[in-house]
Amino acid sequence: MRQPHPGRSEYAALRDTLIDATLEILPGLNHFGPEGKTAPLVADHARAFLL
């Protein structure tokens, strides 16, 4: 049986629990987010985080 997809409230709870965490919702992404046409958007956010 599949588990329900976590909603934004679950992600917000993680953000609030992890002291230095930030939460960014990237528009148009699903669980295949970093693949295909959306890869540049994910790469830009990852690059900004890592640099």
Side-chain angles (χ1 to χ4, degrees):
M1 176 184 250
R2 290 185 75 167
Q3 297 294 323
H5 187 311
R8 290 187 183 187
S9 63
E10 285 87 352
Y11 296 130
L14 278 173
R15 178 204 56 216
D16 295 342
T17 302
L18 302 171
I19 297 169
D20 293 327
T22 59
L23 174 64
E24 291 190 47
I25 305 294
L26 304 178
L29 299 184
N30 58 25
H31 64 282
F32 294 115
E35 298 179 3
K37 296 177 184 177
T38 58
L41 177 64
V42 174
D44 287 344
H45 280 75
R47 183 181 310 110
F49 171 77
L50 294 170
L51 296 179

